[in-house]
Amino acid sequence: MKKALITGITGQDGSYLAELLLSKGYKVYGMIRRLSVPNLENIRHIMDKIELLSGDLLDQGSLIDVVRESDPDEVYNLAAQSFVKASWGQPVLTGEFTGLSVTRMLEAVRIIKPSARFYQASSSEMFGKVTETPQKETTRLYPRSPYGVAKVYGHYITVNYRESYNMFACSGILFNHESPRRGEEFVTRKISKAVARIALGKQDKLELGNLDAKRDWGYAKDYVEAMWLMLQQEKADDYVIATGETHSIADFLELAFNVAGVSDWQKYISANHPKHVRPAEVDLLIGDASKAKNILGWTPKTSFKELVEIMVKADLEREKNS
């Protein structure tokens, strides 16, 4: 039985990845921080099938202990401070959690289980102020937030350990991927929840920033399969994972209100709200996942329209029952 360790198992990606690995017969370990009230909502339904270990990305010793205890064949490093907007308010902490912590994880694996295969969650935010469209693995990195900068560090330190220590270490440069398990501070989930509440008469208005910002949005459940595929290859490498389509926030809003049966959506939206406008905006992200298609055999299964439907219907259900 293969063993996998997932950091960030309670998050959107971690929970879907845990489900996928369980379905493939893995023994799954998840690392969580020791909090007085941990948020286990996303993994509650699989708690009896996984083993949780306490560790902290800021504490090297605890990471070494977690790797020793789990003795993993595969390590998926998904934990980070992953909210872009918060990274301006907490740039140093974001650097620690999202950047330096990758070195700590790699060191723990190198010291205890160097034969383990390592996956690093890189991000399309590394491209930032894009220098070519669409973006691929060789596109110049130009991050536009402390989060993006920290992810660039994590990305290159993974490459460095691969080349310096001959470790099987790869990065998935994932473009935006969403689901009903997305945190409520992220714009897509913020929209799906607000739309459900507006449709049910629980809310009147939704405040947002730039409605013209465009993203390449996919379904998280599809994207975790790409993570697993990367670690099954003969050679470690980095891959862009994306749909190759771009949609604006306004497109997302229109579809979301449509799913909820609400017409004339503009009257519910307050756009360009100062508190939601970033100091430096990333205007257009669209990925070229040709390499993942050719080498991994991976393609996204869920369309943008289907993704919005999944999210809005899940939030309508939640709001009806709350």
Side-chain angles (χ1 to χ4, degrees):
M1 183 187 277
K2 268 191 177 178
K3 291 180 286 186
L5 169 63
I6 304 172
T7 73
I9 194 168
T10 58
Q12 167 188 260
D13 294 8
S15 60
Y16 282 121
L17 179 62
E19 288 173 358
L20 177 73
L21 296 178
L22 287 170
S23 75
K24 294 182 182 297
Y26 280 66
K27 166 74 176 165
V28 176
Y29 294 87
M31 189 183 90
I32 60 166
R33 289 164 74 195
R34 184 166 279 144
L35 300 169
S36 53
V37 188
N39 182 7
L40 304 173
E41 195 53 45
N42 287 335
I43 55 169
R44 210 171 290 287
H45 62 296
I46 52 169
M47 287 284 282
D48 59 334
K49 300 186 180 82
I50 60 177
E51 190 170 329
L52 298 179
L53 303 171
S54 284
D56 195 305
L57 292 174
L58 304 187
D59 182 62
Q60 183 73 66
S62 72
L63 300 184
I64 286 172
D65 289 343
V66 165
V67 175
R68 185 181 287 119
E69 199 169 336
S70 56
D71 186 34
D73 300 293
E74 297 172 2
V75 176
Y76 296 88
N77 189 39
L78 311 185
Q81 190 296 99
S82 59
F83 188 36
V84 177
K85 185 169 178 280
S87 75
W88 276 283
Q90 298 179 312
V92 176
L93 190 68
T94 300
E96 286 282 356
F97 268 123
T98 307
L100 274 174
S101 68
V102 184
T103 311
R104 293 189 193 101
M105 271 316 297
L106 283 162
E107 270 295 277
V109 173
R110 184 183 73 83
I111 292 163
I112 301 299
K113 190 75 186 284
S115 63
R117 296 188 162 205
F118 183 90
Y119 171 86
Q120 167 59 15
S122 286
S123 166
S124 60
E125 288 285 332
M126 301 190 308
F127 296 120
K129 190 173 181 179
V130 298
T131 54
E132 68 174 335
T133 300
Q135 295 88 51
K136 50 186 184 285
E137 293 78 8
T138 53
T139 301
R140 182 189 163 204
L141 304 180
Y142 194 149
R144 296 267 282 171
S145 66
Y147 169 79
V149 173
K151 279 291 184 186
V152 170
Y153 175 89
H155 180 77
Y156 277 124
I157 200 69
T158 302
V159 172
N160 191 260
Y161 270 64
R162 177 168 76 220
E163 295 176 353
S164 304
Y165 300 113
N166 201 28
M167 288 170 67
F168 192 107
C170 38
S171 290
I173 307 169
L174 271 57
F175 279 64
N176 292 60
H177 47 291
E178 316 297 323
S179 76
R181 296 182 192 172
R182 191 54 136 156
E184 290 174 17
E185 69 273 25
F186 290 87
V187 69
T188 49
R189 183 69 204 295
K190 188 179 176 184
I191 291 170
S192 65
K193 184 178 180 180
V195 166
R197 289 176 62 79
I198 288 166
L200 295 169
K202 292 182 172 185
Q203 190 173 324
D204 303 320
K205 275 272 184 224
L206 171 58
E207 290 177 356
L208 291 168
N210 176 15
L211 301 192
D212 297 323
K214 290 184 173 179
R215 292 291 183 274
D216 182 329
W217 275 303
Y219 185 27
K221 205 169 182 178
D222 294 345
Y223 283 36
V224 297
E225 189 187 359
M227 299 176 186
W228 176 76
L229 285 167
M230 285 178 217
L231 296 198
Q232 312 315 308
Q233 303 308 305
E234 276 183 39
K235 180 173 166 282
D237 208 345
D238 307 322
Y239 298 87
V240 161
I241 303 299
T243 68
E245 289 179 16
T246 186
H247 300 275
S248 67
I249 306 272
D251 294 337
F252 198 105
L253 282 164
E254 191 173 355
L255 267 175
F257 276 105
N258 203 21
V259 172
V262 178
S263 55
D264 198 14
W265 62 269
Q266 285 95 338
K267 70 181 183 187
Y268 300 103
I269 302 300
S270 167
N272 295 312
H273 209 272
K275 73 176 182 188
H276 299 301
V277 176
R278 296 174 177 181
E281 184 56 88
V282 174
D283 296 314
L284 174 62
L285 289 174
I286 178 167
D288 176 0
S290 307
K291 183 176 170 184
K293 185 179 181 181
N294 295 336
I295 297 174
L296 307 178
W298 180 87
T299 50
K301 299 183 180 80
T302 311
S303 71
F304 176 67
K305 187 169 182 287
E306 287 166 337
L307 169 66
V308 178
E309 276 177 21
I310 289 166
M311 291 183 70
V312 175
K313 284 177 178 172
D315 271 322
L316 278 167
E317 200 58 39
R318 276 195 191 108
E319 289 298 326
K320 280 174 191 164
N321 296 326
S322 68

